[in-house]
Amino acid sequence: MGSTPFCYSINPSPSKLDFTRTHVFSPVAKQFYLDFSSFTGKSGGGLRKRRTLVGVKAAATALVGEEEKRETATENKKKKPRVLVAGGGIGGLVFALTAKKKGFDVLVFEKDLSAIRGEGQYRGPIQIQSNALAALEAIDIAVAEEVMEAGCITGDRINGLVDGVSGTWYVKFDTFTPAASRGLPVTRVISRMTLQQILARAVGEEVIRNESNVVDFEDSGDKVTVVLENGQRYDGDLLVGADGIWSKVRNNLFGRSEATYSGYTCYTGIADFVPADIESVGYRVFLGHKQYFVSSDVGGGKMQWYAFHEEVAGGADAPNGMKKRLFDIFEGWCDNVMDLLQATEEEAILRRDIYDRSPSFTWGKGRVTLLGDSIHAMQPNMGQGGCMAIEDSFQLGLELEEAWKQSVETNTPVDVVSSLKRYEESRRLRVAIIHGMARMAAIMASTYKAYLGVGLGPLSFLTKFRVPHPGRVGGRFFIDIAMPLMLNWVLGGNSEKLEGRPPSCRLTDKADDRLREWFEDDEALERTINGEWYLIPHGNECSVSETLRLTKDEDQPCIVGSEPDQDFPGAHIVIPSPQVSKMHARVIYKDGAFFLMDLRSEHGTYLTDNEGGKYRITPNFPARFRPSDIIEFGSDKKAAFRVKVIRTTPKLTRRDEKSDGKLLQAA
């Protein structure tokens, strides 16, 4: 896009009259012209008249100058300061929208708009939590409504931490109550591309300059000039650096500094996959030792996941080797993790090292300040990186508007520098605390140890005794107390500052009536699982090749045996195996759960739960089994099955000889 070298000036010269305007002269000025046109007489009288005339002329000139100053001041009052924004990401666009809504003249410089157009690498969805949605409502209610309509609500379901290996719940998060009790929107997940498109449309294409990479700036005290990579220069009253963690504006402000490596690399992907408990669970964080895994519903039949692994920065994978490496890293983890990895195409997996920047006491200098990741880039563990940028945008717009009002009331220039300082002071503490929470969350997620012996090298044999690790017990006690307080402050702690938004929830932001029961009762949560139940052959020694489907019919129990018994009503599962009795066991479905009853078989029926505990089922006594449990009919492992719940009927299930009986599944 073509541009003049200087596209704007905030200092029009007042030294000359602008004759392109219509000026109304004062009465004294009119007298001056009358005296001048009627001047006649002798030299002495002419001298006196000339002296008088010169005095009148000087007075008239002074009055005209004052009139011009008043006119210039009036003109300046009508025109708000011009705001320059470096970076057209989420933070930059939200602030541009904020400034535009308040009547400021805005220009956004973005080096590459391909993300907004849907080109390039797809970075996946972003979580917009209640605090950020409320700030967006205060900025522009129509845009907020569009964002919330396009997003997938996750805050109305169970979210929390689970054991990565067993898949059992460690701590559940209630993100609904802190929002609903304060009249805030419920947390959503939305595609970054969709969000940026919504924001870009609201800001307007005339405001955004594409292929405009800000590489430098000059602050002269009364204005700031940005310098683009192509040499173009633009003037404005202030510059906001929203150009991300590797910000050039930051480098020019404070000098080049290195970001802090978190110690973790992150794989991420989007899978066409719908978990069986999608109606009751929004997102999970799967805990492990030096690694952890995050999954979240993003709507449209898709799940987003992040896999974090502790290692040095700068690593690379072999061509088409990311998926294989992930299977190696998370080998032995629960089905929730392995199913998502299996359902993700290799081409859909991205990898990046995780960096952040330590909180700073100084966010800017003079007429230049920073916003979002450019000043407080944080790890993604709290889901608050983009949310903090949105809060920054609201607060900065508020301070600039207050400075403008003050200048109008006092008839003085807008004090841009002081407004930027107030913005920084109001944001520093909250941002620093949440930044620290994000770091702490990473430490907690990756140092989790379920049992004594985990991570102890030679003493790892202790894990077979299944003794709960003291840190796991103590950590849960602490989190149970601290988590509700933390969520209340993070999600609702900024709400009292948000002027101009309706103090009420959307009617559509309604949680299931059973939500409280799900928090308190794991069995009630398990009963929300909605899918087809299968017994899938398990282990290399298993002689059965067929996948068995269980029926949800309380009136038709299923008999498992070596041959069908025509005298017994109901369904029959025939397993031709040496240790399977003619009538070996009965499968019963009752109140949304499956139970297994051994019918006094000769070799017994065994159940291994998802934590690795194995026991023989008491004859004629129903034992409940759950997804991921291992059922063995007999003790020779030739009729061993893994319980699996699949949302839709699988197109293919087969044993994978290379991965010790793991299943390849397309669902």
Side-chain angles (χ1 to χ4, degrees), residues 147-158:
V147 169
M148 287 188 280
E149 286 296 327
C152 169
I153 301 176
T154 58
D156 60 346
R157 287 172 273 173
I158 296 292

Side-chain angles (χ1 to χ4, degrees), residues 579-581 584-585 596 598-607 615-619 631-636 639:
Q579 291 195 1
V580 176
S581 303
H584 193 104
L596 186 65
D598 183 79
L599 300 178
R600 297 188 179 275
S601 62
E602 179 182 354
H603 298 283
T605 304
Y606 298 84
L607 187 64
Y615 61 94
R616 182 170 180 170
I617 296 176
T618 303
I631 297 174
E632 298 176 44
F633 302 102
S635 59
D636 59 359

Side-chain angles (χ1 to χ4, degrees), residues 155-158 174 176-177 279-280 507-521 524-525 528:
D156 60 346
R157 287 172 273 173
I158 296 292
D174 181 3
F176 180 81
T177 302
E279 281 90 1
S280 55
L507 291 176
T508 54
D509 288 3
K510 184 179 183 300
D512 194 288
D513 294 335
R514 298 168 292 172
L515 182 63
R516 180 51 50 194
E517 182 186 6
W518 296 342
F519 275 112
E520 298 171 354
D521 186 351
L525 182 58
T528 65

Side-chain angles (χ1 to χ4, degrees), residues 55-107:
V56 172
K57 181 177 180 181
T61 303
L63 287 171
V64 170
E66 290 298 322
E67 181 69 22
E68 183 180 7
K69 288 180 181 178
R70 285 195 296 271
E71 187 175 325
T72 303
T74 301
E75 180 183 347
N76 287 340
K77 281 184 180 180
K78 294 178 181 177
K79 192 166 188 179
K80 288 187 174 181
R82 169 176 262 200
V83 180
L84 307 179
V85 182
I90 292 171
L93 291 176
V94 172
F95 173 66
L97 176 63
T98 306
K100 182 179 178 182
K101 291 287 290 185
K102 293 182 179 298
F104 292 95
D105 185 16
V106 188
L107 271 183

